[in-house]
Amino acid sequence: MSTSVGSIHPAGASGFSPAASQTESQTGVARRTAAVPWYIWFGVVAVTSASIGGAWDVSWHRSIGRDAFLTPAHLAIYACGVIAAIICGYLIFATTFGHSAKLKDVSVNVIGFRAPLGAFIAAWGGIAMLTSAPFDNWWHNAYGLDVKIISPPHTLLILGMRGVSAGVMFLILAAMNRAESAGDEHGHTVLRRVFLYLGGLMITGQMFFLFEYTWDVVLHTTAAYIAMGIGLPVAFAMISRASGHRWAATISASIYMGYTIAEILIFPLFPATPKLGPVFFPVTHLVPAKFPVLLVVPAVALDLLWQRTSRWGWKPWKVAIVSGVVFMALVFAVEWPFANFLMSKASENRFFGTIYFDYNSRPDGYDRLRQFFNPASGMVLATGLAMATLCSAISAWVGLRFGAWMKTVQR
Amino acid sequence: MKSPAVRRIWLLLVVAMSAVPSAHAHVGSKDVFEQVSAGPYNLFITIRPPNVIPGIATVEVQATGAAIETLQITPVPLTGEASKHPPTADTLKRSAADANFYTGGIWLMAPGSWQVRFTVEGAGGHQTTSVPVPAVAIATLKMQRDLGIPLAVLGLFLVLSMAGVVAAAVREGRLPPGAKATPALQRRGLIAMTVSLSVMAVMVYFGAKWWNVEAASYSEDIYKPLKVQPALNGDQLDLNIEFYKGRYKTRDRANNDLLPDHGHLMHLYAIREPQMDAVFHLHPELAAAGDFRMALPAMPPGEYKLYGDIVHANGFPETLVTTVEIPASKPASPLGADDATATPAPLSSGPLGTSYKLPDGYTMVWDKPSTLTATTAYSLHFRLLGPDGAPAKDMQPYMGMTGHAAFVKDDGTVFAHTHPEGSAAMAALDIANGGMGAMSGMTSAPTPPEVDFPYGFPTPGAYRIIIQMKHASTIETGVFDATVQ
């Protein structure tokens, strides 16, 4: 894994020194534009839009309840698919039918079409998203309107959104890796920042998918830790290995936590009332997400570990085992007591957000009573955590291997 | 996940595809038709609950009386904590063609006993009224061919294109710009494609399993009336109702929480099958929790279908269905004070007319609409004439109402016991409108010799309609046939 702390420019996303001259600034802008093609910015906007749309949609369901095709939250999600369609359509057609040797040289061939690998992945995601729409609509007619996130059509939609996100990440990766190979340190740095930002959204997305397993009242079940063990080390390892950044896991975990805390601070500013029943809690404003899991702590530990293991030259399986243990030990050490705090009166404020409940949150339900659901202890807890640690190690191994492969992607 | 879609769709392509009809309280007649007055406003309300819960019920209102400016609706559970927190109300849309016709929808997010609360503003000031709506899932939908095929094609495309992308990634993803894939890389690409197809096949398999589990879990929530075990000993009929344990405690339905409706805990219709040529409206008494008993009157022998209407404490009505064989030698007890009977001509002798001759010389007449179509809301008008052919003069309320009606389809798939106010259970209507005294719609004053029943036949076919009205101390049971298109 290459480390590149020295290549990070000291100021801002523009990637040039604030002390630089005007001429240098203009050159910097020109270089940045050259380093980051327009379709990557479009892709970043698409993924951001889907992330915001997803969080907004969940809040919409928890506060207002009533769904429609054209809610603002849905539009933000569809925008992701539309933008993906535009950039992928352009890249596939321009590369396949155009005359640009430069584009063709960095393309791959899928059933006769040529484009960068990321374009095909994002296109796949866009089609998956489109397919999920009629499937989901049928699902509502067959089994009722949604009361949960994880249903087969939603999984297809989320896979599609992840496909777009992964596609954009691959577009960045290929450009980033080529910049590195070509010795373009500046281009590499800017692209890596964009990549890490999407990495943060990837962690946010993983936690979004695990939302029902990591709700604060279930943080004393083993299922929460098994779910995080499966879903998170793979993402942290992948982002870290692929980006080659010393603090990749820390940065992406911080983005997840910042994003979620921002949601807690911002959403309740907007009035919203339930438009369907049963209403057990009279909601008056948009209900935000639960306080984020304190992932930054295990992420810092993973970064510190991986900085050292790359120097020590450990085999991936050995790194994976230690990573799994470190990750799970720290998630458990931090989140288990923090969950106690979240159940306490001390957390009942605008920041920790345990004052917000869904409109259909029953007064005798665990959430309203601030009580843990089915807390584990003794052997159940021990075996659950052992299972979670095993899952973490496997998850980390997959992430490390795939991340290492991603680091070499050129197209 | 594309996997469940694809797998399931291919399965569905070879399986017959149709919606599954099912029962409801009443039986097979889920729509609520109600004629209500809110101060000076008269509203003929039709509420059509969805087949699945959560789902959207449509609401139609035909208004008469004082002029209306706005008509708003909101769904609220009939009882419990959530009944205190109505969601934001919606304004019903006024029809462009008929200024007195309004439409809208309400979202019913949980099964159970609901009400739709109507708020009227207009010339007669601010008024509210509520109509109870039982919400239950009655069917799951099978995948239709015209959706299944495009979805299957898209699913297949997703699987194949993903395999193509994986192959391309392995074959060319790591090549420096401009380089060509070597034969070794080409081979690795093919292997990657095969492996990815296998992985996706496994995902599709487990996705299909997941879909089946989800579908089975929804199917479990499909409404089934409480089970009732009949036993006949001499003339003693014993009906034992079983407690229903739901997947969640909130979905339990007890056999010991019943409310009296028109003074009785159960209204039991016994109809001789298959000719529907003997009908009884009876009222068993509760002997113990969930145990109804009564001494049966003289009944022509044969198999009878029993439809028992009950109302739970939360206003949720149910029609319990069972059958009982009446032997020829059964001893008989006299009919109860509120019990009634009729022996119309069998179905096989052709449809009954619009005028039904009663044993005491009276006649019941149905002012039958020229055509009857399924799902249309009607106000069905019946009159009772004395032996002289003039409107009967000595009318009395029958269990507090001008009349009682039962609509029964000849194949047994529909049974609805309704009243002049509509098809909602009176006990539920009473809870919905704030407990204005038991059976607020009931009267003890003399009633007119004519009655309207708001109702819509749920499906096309042949129906037998049983109407009861009372004059002096005689309960008359008129029977009519309807062919619904």
Side-chain angles (χ1 to χ4, degrees):
Chain A
M1 177 164 37
S2 81
T3 55
S4 48
V5 74
S7 69
I8 296 177
H9 288 243
S14 59
F16 54 88
S17 163
S21 70
Q22 181 67 19
T23 314
E24 279 169 340
S25 298
Q26 284 166 350
T27 312
V29 171
R31 282 167 63 197
R32 188 182 85 171
T33 311
V36 184
W38 64 270
Y39 52 80
I40 286 182
W41 290 120
F42 270 60
V44 170
V45 169
V47 178
T48 307
S49 179
S51 299
I52 294 172
W56 194 353
D57 194 40
V58 167
S59 174
W60 187 279
H61 277 271
R62 296 174 62 201
S63 329
I64 298 167
R66 191 184 306 181
D67 223 351
F69 186 72
L70 292 178
T71 64
H74 283 178
L75 288 177
I77 295 172
Y78 305 146
C80 171
V82 171
I83 298 171
I86 292 169
I87 59 179
C88 298
Y90 165 78
L91 282 171
I92 292 170
F93 283 94
T95 315
T96 308
F97 304 111
H99 301 291
S100 164
K102 208 173 147 194
L103 271 177
K104 283 191 198 297
D105 280 352
V106 293
S107 65
V108 299
N109 178 348
V110 175
I111 44 174
F113 290 97
R114 295 206 73 93
L117 184 58
F120 285 116
I121 298 172
W124 184 92
I127 296 167
M129 284 175 79
L130 281 176
T131 308
S132 79
F135 185 25
D136 198 34
N137 193 47
W138 174 83
W139 191 271
H140 293 169
N141 291 329
Y143 308 122
L145 300 161
D146 302 317
V147 283
K148 54 184 181 180
I149 296 179
I150 303 181
S151 68
H154 282 184
T155 306
L156 181 60
L157 173 67
I158 291 171
L159 270 184
M161 283 161 64
R162 292 300 182 77
V164 173
S165 176
V168 175
M169 287 180 93
F170 267 90
L171 286 175
I172 298 169
L173 259 183
M176 187 174 95
N177 294 340
R178 288 197 304 271
E180 192 179 26
S181 307
D184 175 5
E185 191 181 311
H186 172 77
H188 177 254
T189 304
V190 175
L191 285 160
R192 189 161 68 174
R193 284 182 186 167
V194 180
F195 181 81
L196 285 175
Y197 166 70
L198 289 187
L201 292 189
M202 182 197 267
I203 298 297
T204 311
Q206 291 294 87
M207 289 306 288
F208 178 81
F209 196 70
L210 301 181
F211 177 61
E212 284 155 4
Y213 297 95
T214 56
W215 194 261
D216 54 12
V217 297
V218 301
L219 285 172
H220 279 194
T221 64
T222 54
Y225 296 87
I226 293 171
M228 287 191 278
I230 294 170
L232 293 173
V234 62
F236 281 131
M238 215 160 68
I239 296 161
S240 176
R241 274 287 147 98
S243 70
H245 194 286
R246 288 163 64 85
W247 299 104
T250 309
I251 291 169
S252 51
S254 305
I255 289 172
Y256 151 69
M257 290 191 63
Y259 180 94
T260 312
I261 291 170
E263 184 183 332
I264 296 173
L265 296 176
I266 295 169
F267 275 17
L269 300 176
F270 296 93
T273 51
K275 286 196 164 181
L276 44 74
V279 180
F280 290 101
F281 185 76
V283 167
T284 56
H285 291 78
L286 279 180
V287 178
K290 293 284 182 182
F291 198 80
V293 173
L294 304 176
L295 289 181
V296 76
V297 177
V300 168
L302 288 178
D303 278 333
L304 288 171
L305 174 73
W306 291 335
Q307 285 166 21
R308 280 153 186 77
T309 54
S310 63
R311 282 206 303 274
W312 300 336
W314 281 15
K315 296 265 184 216
W317 64 265
K318 201 169 163 188
V319 182
I321 291 172
V322 178
S323 304
V325 172
V326 165
F327 175 80
M328 193 42 63
L330 282 167
V331 167
F332 178 74
V334 172
E335 199 59 25
W336 189 276
F338 185 65
N340 283 327
F341 167 74
L342 291 176
M343 293 300 119
S344 74
K345 288 271 171 212
S347 68
E348 291 180 2
N349 53 48
R350 284 273 285 110
F351 185 76
F352 290 105
T354 58
I355 48 176
Y356 305 116
F357 301 102
D358 304 6
Y359 71 86
N360 62 358
S361 184
R362 289 175 177 273
D364 56 352
Y366 291 94
D367 198 22
R368 291 279 296 280
L369 294 173
R370 305 310 295 149
Q371 286 176 3
F372 286 115
F373 171 77
N374 204 12
S377 61
M379 274 310 285
V380 174
L381 179 60
T383 49
L385 286 178
M387 172 61 82
T389 307
L390 178 67
C391 292
S392 292
I394 296 170
S395 171
W397 184 81
V398 173
L400 290 167
R401 294 303 300 250
F402 194 63
W405 180 82
M406 285 167 83
K407 185 84 188 89
T408 60
V409 165
Q410 294 281 320
R411 297 186 170 199
Chain B
M1 190 185 311
K2 66 212 159 291
S3 355
V6 178
R7 164 80 186 188
R8 178 72 179 214
I9 289 157
W10 283 119
L11 281 175
L12 286 166
L13 287 176
V14 292
V15 173
M17 302 161 194
S18 65
V20 185
S22 188
H24 188 261
H26 317 282
V27 174
S29 188
K30 68 183 174 66
D31 295 355
V32 177
F33 303 92
E34 207 66 25
Q35 173 77 54
V36 298
S37 297
Y41 311 106
N42 297 319
L43 311 176
F44 188 112
I45 295 166
T46 304
I47 301 169
R48 304 184 192 278
N51 286 338
V52 289
I53 300 292
I56 300 168
T58 60
V59 178
E60 298 156 14
V61 178
Q62 183 71 54
T64 52
I68 291 174
E69 280 165 23
T70 58
L71 184 52
Q72 290 195 312
I73 51 170
T74 187
V76 195
L78 209 47
T79 57
E81 173 67 20
S83 66
K84 299 173 200 158
H85 308 291
T88 308
D90 276 308
T91 301
L92 286 177
K93 200 170 155 232
R94 197 189 288 262
S95 159
D98 177 357
N100 292 314
F101 189 71
Y102 299 81
T103 53
I106 46 157
W107 291 54
L108 300 171
M109 296 306 288
S113 186
W114 289 79
Q115 59 184 311
V116 179
R117 191 168 293 167
F118 292 79
T119 306
V120 197
E121 303 285 353
H126 172 93
Q127 300 286 346
T128 61
T129 186
S130 287
V131 173
V133 183
V136 290
I138 57 170
T140 58
L141 192 68
K142 301 266 187 207
M143 181 63 79
Q144 302 87 340
R145 191 172 286 261
D146 54 355
L147 176 64
I149 291 172
L151 273 181
V153 169
L154 279 169
L156 192 64
F157 175 77
L158 284 173
V159 168
L160 295 179
S161 61
M162 180 47 85
V165 170
V166 170
V170 170
R171 192 177 58 235
E172 301 167 84
R174 300 161 77 177
L175 288 177
K180 296 274 179 240
T182 61
L185 278 173
Q186 304 261 16
R187 210 166 37 247
R188 286 178 67 178
L190 274 177
I191 294 168
M193 182 187 284
T194 315
V195 171
S196 68
L197 279 174
S198 315
V199 170
M200 283 187 283
V202 172
M203 285 170 71
V204 167
Y205 174 77
F206 282 105
K209 283 206 143 190
W210 179 25
W211 185 339
N212 286 335
V213 168
E214 292 277 327
S217 138
Y218 282 105
S219 296
E220 255 185 67
D221 286 341
I222 290 181
Y223 170 77
K224 293 166 212 75
L226 291 182
K227 277 193 189 145
V228 55
Q229 300 293 344
L232 186 64
N233 187 7
D235 66 345
Q236 286 295 316
L237 177 68
D238 196 337
L239 299 172
N240 267 298
I241 303 172
E242 291 176 19
F243 188 102
Y244 174 81
K245 193 116 192 72
R247 278 202 296 156
Y248 311 104
K249 199 170 162 30
T250 52
R251 300 199 183 162
D252 286 354
R253 277 176 280 133
N255 59 359
N256 58 357
D257 69 339
L258 306 181
L259 292 180
D261 199 359
H262 299 96
H264 296 283
L265 289 172
M266 179 186 276
H267 292 259
L268 181 72
Y269 276 80
I271 299 171
R272 187 159 77 153
E273 294 294 322
Q275 294 292 338
M276 300 172 81
D277 52 356
V279 297
F280 293 82
H281 181 173
L282 306 168
H283 302 95
E285 297 289 331
L286 195 64
D291 183 6
F292 281 91
R293 289 181 197 168
M294 80 173 296
L296 290 177
M299 296 170 82
E303 187 186 77
Y304 282 75
K305 196 146 190 183
L306 305 182
Y307 301 95
D309 276 355
I310 55 169
V311 183
H312 292 279
N314 64 359
F316 187 82
E318 295 202 64
T319 298
L320 317 182
V321 185
T322 187
T323 56
V324 65
E325 185 71 31
I326 302 289
S329 57
K330 181 186 81 63
S333 296
L335 273 178
D338 285 339
D339 295 351
T341 178
T343 47
L347 287 174
S348 56
S349 61
L352 297 167
T354 55
S355 181
Y356 188 84
K357 282 280 173 205
L358 296 158
D360 60 355
Y362 279 61
T363 305
M364 203 180 286
V365 176
W366 178 20
D367 296 324
K368 189 178 177 182
S370 53
T371 56
L372 290 166
T373 50
T375 73
T376 305
Y378 292 100
S379 190
L380 301 171
H381 189 72
F382 298 86
R383 292 177 285 130
L384 186 63
L385 306 177
D388 57 355
K393 293 185 182 64
D394 50 352
M395 296 302 294
Q396 290 295 320
Y398 173 44
M399 290 187 287
M401 313 296 287
T402 312
H404 286 238
F407 299 85
V408 193
K409 201 171 178 190
D410 65 348
D411 59 4
T413 55
V414 176
F415 172 87
H417 170 192
T418 77
H419 308 110
E421 297 250 340
S423 59
M426 286 297 293
L429 205 56
D430 204 38
I431 300 172
N433 289 289
M436 295 182 293
M439 301 299 110
S440 51
M442 287 171 64
T443 176
S444 56
T447 50
E450 55 189 335
V451 61
D452 288 291
F453 291 100
Y455 189 64
F457 299 90
T459 47
Y463 289 78
R464 191 148 265 201
I465 305 171
I466 303 155
I467 304 292
Q468 275 139 352
M469 298 173 79
K470 187 174 176 183
H471 66 89
S473 60
T474 307
I475 303 162
E476 302 284 17
T477 301
V479 184
F480 305 89
D481 283 337
T483 303
V484 177
Q485 283 147 14

